[in-house]
Every structure is written in structure tokens, then in C-alpha cells.
Amino acid sequence: MEPWWREQWGNPSSRQHRLGLTAAAAIGSAREHLAGSLGIRSEELIFTSGATEANNLALLGHARARTLSDGGAGHLISVASEHHAVLDPLLQLQEEGFQITLLAPQKDGLITVEQLEQAIQPNTQLISVMVANNEIGVVQPIRDLSAVCRNRGITMHTDAAQAYGHLPLNAEELGCELISLSAHKFNGPKGIGALVVRAGTQLQPLQWGGGQEQGLRAGTLPVPLIMGMAAAAELSMQDLEDRQARLQALRDQLWEGLKDRNPTIQLNGALQPRLAHNLNITIPELSGSRLLRALRPRLACSSGSACSRGEPSHVLRSIGRSHIEAEASLRLSLGRDTTASDIDGAIEVITTAIQTLTQR
Ligand SMILES: Cc1ncc(COP(=O)(O)O)c(C=O)c1O
């Protein structure tokens, strides 16, 4: 990213001088690279400020466009365990007259094709289901779910923020017309992401201005962030399989180690199919806030999402955990640099905290 902050600071929309043209060419190759990694054409990738904006653009932009083409607001389906960046735009659309159905996931965090089929109505316009859950890591059967939408005039959106860079993804195989991405979920910079808009998908912009991104997302492109996103994507694709295998073994070591030393702890979400670097556990009958306070000096972990506004996790509540259980839960994420001795350290720190708090 460095040279794009300091030396090549041209605006890619300024095509009358060399600095601008250089920036535009760099954006072109970054876009091509990202598009290629998903098996789509460059024109099908719109840069946004992250997955929150991509989700808003996908949901509000498509639903509002459908109101015009279908002659009114219809029915939209999603899942109660989605990120707030999907749930809150849907609440907004409800205010605008759309009818919303939120499916309740099974106890393992997954939803089934049968559940989706039962929820579909003649006026269903859009379905939004995330690839991988940000709290419990479970991976939804997107291919099977999108197959249900085909030939029914229903558009499929998926929030792939947690999956891109961690699982092999191909837009055609996913069968989704709209796909949201976020760079900081695969070690890229914060403040940049993208929305995949497959050719022929109706979309209204959320903002108007300089006409960038085919008029779908006006605003000067943040060149250094986009270069960082493309570089991070390249790095995460290079060792994807090896990293997944290594992190899955370490994650399983963490789970087995914690369970052996603390037999009452429970796993949240199915162990498979699940992101290799995610573990989420409930420690029954322990105060969640005291546990987090005890761990804070040694471990960076949380009981829910960074976007949860301090409430107990709605994801854990949606799979049947009580308010108290949801608070007494830990979301543990491994990173590309996590080692086996980090895992042993984490098992030790968590076990000591649990034992100290239960003895009190
Ligand atoms: C599943 C999911 N969707 C959306 C977001 C929001 O992404 P961003 O921070 O890029 O706006 C996140 C991250 O917090 C996420 O995990």
C-alpha cells in the first residue's frame, strides 16, 4: 500500500494526467485480480467501504429496484443469526413496506433447504443467507439454498465477509447474484470491501455523485486500500488449503484441550462444516463479564460480535442459548500466525480463569 499513499497519489477518475492514469491502471488490475479469484468479470465487482456498505447496497439497492420493476414491495427472507449489517437494513426495508421473514437456525446453527422452501411465497423477491457465521463459524449450504431460488425470480444475496480468503469461493458455484466482501477479514486494511453484482441484477445506488463504479457507488476510490485488499486476497489464496488444515488442527487442539480440563463446557454451532479458525464455547453457570475481565490481560477474546452494542449475542440466542448462557460464552478466533504454544497458553489461561471463578 505504501507507494500509493506517498508517491502515486493520483485520483483514478482523473484521466487527463499521468498520475491519474497510473492509479486507474492499478485499480484495473486489482479489480481484475479480485474478480478472477471469484470467477467473475471485472465489471461485476463494485468497491465499497466494507461489508456493511456492501450488504446495505445489496439489500436496499435490490429491494428498492424490485419495487419499481415488480410494481410494489414484496417479501424478503433471511436468517435470525445474520450479522447486524444484514438484519438492520432488513428492518429499514420493513419500515418501507417490505414483508420480512427471518428463519430460525437449527440448534447446530445451520438452516435447511426445507426451511427455506417452506418460507418462500409467490411474492418473495430476495433471500439473504451468509456463507459463514461471524460468531459460531458454521458454514451454510449456500449452493443448495441458491438452487431453490433459481427459475423462481428470486435473487440470492450472501454475506461472504467471513468466508472469502478462508474458504474456496466461486460465484457461479455459489449461485448468488449478490456477494458481499470485506478486506479486514482476510488480513487486509479496514475500510474497504466490495459487492459482487452479477450481470443483469437490478440495483439502485444508495448515493449519487461522480458516477464512479458504474454509477452504483459514487465517490473517489481509496487507491491504497484497494491495493491492500487485492494484495491481501492474493496472499490469503496462496496458502489457503495449508492454512486451513493447520488452523483446523490447532482449533481442534484448543477444543479438545479445553473440554478435557473443563468437562462442563459446551460447543456452540456444529463442529463441521465450520470455519477452521473459529471456536465458540459456553461455560455454564459462570458470570460472563467476570470471565472476560479475568481473561483480558492475557487473551483478546469476546462473547459476541464487535457490532453487537453490548447486548448478549443474538446469534447464540437464535440457536437456543439463554441470555445468561450467551453472556457466559467465548468466541475464540485463530489467526494466520497462531502457533501450537499459543493454543496451550490459551487453554491454560482459560482453565485457570474458570477454576478461580468457580471456587469463589
Ligand atoms: C459477517 C459479517 N458481515 C459484515 C461485517 C461488517 O463488515 P465491515 O466491517 O467491513 O463493514 C462483518 C464484520 O464485522 C461480518 O463479520
Side-chain angles (χ1 to χ4, degrees), residues 1-10 19 224:
M1 290 162 70
E2 181 78 6
W4 304 98
W5 295 115
R6 289 155 66 103
E7 294 143 30
Q8 295 292 345
W9 39 261
L19 274 171

Side-chain angles (χ1 to χ4, degrees), residues 8 10-11 14-25:
Q8 295 292 345
N11 182 336
S14 299
R15 305 293 177 95
Q16 287 165 331
H17 51 70
R18 191 169 296 248
L19 274 171
L21 289 170
T22 306

